[in-house]
Amino acid sequence: MAGRPKIYDETAILDKAVEVFWEKGYANATADDLLHAMGIGKGSFYFAFKGGKEELFRKSMERVVELNFKAIRDALTTCADPVQFIKDFFLSLTGNESPVGNKGCYFGNALIQVSADDAGLKMIAAKYLHLLEEIFTEAVQKGKDLGLLQTQEPAAALGTYLVNLWNGINVTRRMEPDQRKLADLVRMNLKILD
Amino acid sequence: MAGRPKIYDETAILDKAVEVFWEKGYANATADDLLHAMGIGKGSFYFAFKGGKEELFRKSMERVVELNFKAIRDALTTCADPVQFIKDFFLSLTGNESPVGNKGCYFGNALIQVSADDAGLKMIAAKYLHLLEEIFTEAVQKGKDLGLLQTQEPAAALGTYLVNLWNGINVTRRMEPDQRKLADLVRMNLKILD
DNA sequence: CCAATTTTGTACCAAATAGTACAGTTTATT
DNA sequence: AATAAACTGTACTATTTGGTACAAAATTGG
């Protein structure tokens, strides 16, 4: 168990890579962009990520799930009113202070940016979006169990509805700078949770 | 006004370029891909499109608007029940026979695929999505005028709702192969037009 | 301190990239 | 047929791409 120690923190440089991918998109992010942002040399990079750019992106997706989705899930399991939480979450997407900024959804972006022959990455992105769908579904189910929802719709259908809303907003944000219009749009969609 | 005539049809090669961009994405489509599909040489290409790939993409967007959106608008102005037309349109997106296939929306894709420093292309894509929004809004307004809609929501808000649904579906399609789930999702969304 | 092990930086490379230069070809007008 | 205009194909280039090779460096256990 000897050996020269890493001089960087693996999660720290992953976070840097996430930033670059999110900002520039998978296809447009060059290895140089990434290395520069991560602040490591090619040697270290190809040593740590033998699969090159693709492996880095795969790990960066894991990291984003860990940082973002898991946080949502945790918050949902502890909060008293999951329905209100969902509503607040979506409304928060329409403001400047959005956690996502204008960069969209990491996974939705991936589905659209990754070239067709990288089917593996696409499948992973799809899988994580399904995870988000599940999280929404669980929240709705919990809301139903608590008697907070009148709707006849099954929780799973509402989960699908919400992940589709998420996908939509993350594109619509980019064409619609008017935050009031976005907020109205979200509110209109959230009526389904009354 | 002399000179050798073109040996190719400008719109025909544009259509080929559209195919490539739609299939591979803007960033992933190389000049070679495009030239090969268009069946012309570099000389002809850079003569016809002095702006290179970017100009080609700009013109390809115009072409897609011309071919797709204008057709929708025309169909809407002539049809008796614009509300039903909208519903059928969205439901058609969930099937195999979708006009869009799994390639998504040309302009939504562009918003997500084009690199940040190509702000010009992004603005054009956003503009065309706003055109689609307008088309939806007009259809809804017409539906209201004809007494086909009970909703209190303003037509413009519903237009925004529908373009957001469009944006969402075009991403969600890529993560959700189950067409029945997609169809249910669309039906749930279209209840707002009852 | 020596050896084993792991990490790092630099130099290098082959392929692919978008784009240019330009000579030559084809046609309409005269 | 001569000429001007419009078009086309080929050869070329400079840059950037992702990726490899490998020797040197840093650390720990013996």
Side-chain angles (χ1 to χ4, degrees), chain B residues 92-141:
Chain B
S92 81
L93 297 178
T94 67
N96 281 327
E97 74 292 348
S98 160
V100 181
N102 265 325
K103 300 175 302 182
C105 166
Y106 205 72
F107 308 101
N109 291 358
L111 281 182
I112 292 176
Q113 290 166 349
V114 168
S115 100
D117 39 62
D118 251 321
L121 289 182
K122 290 200 175 198
M123 278 186 45
I124 295 173
K127 185 184 76 180
Y128 287 140
L129 277 175
H130 276 293
L131 170 62
L132 182 63
E133 185 182 10
E134 255 179 58
I135 291 173
F136 288 148
T137 299
E138 281 170 21
V140 169
Q141 185 59 58

Side-chain angles (χ1 to χ4, degrees), chain B residues 15-47:
Chain B
D15 287 343
K16 288 295 185 185
V18 166
E19 256 178 63
V20 174
F21 280 131
W22 218 328
E23 179 67 32
K24 313 197 73 166
Y26 179 71
N28 295 315
T30 69
D32 261 10
D33 290 334
L34 293 162
L35 292 184
H36 190 257
M38 295 189 281
I40 64 177
K42 282 197 166 186
S44 307
F45 174 67
Y46 283 103
F47 181 79

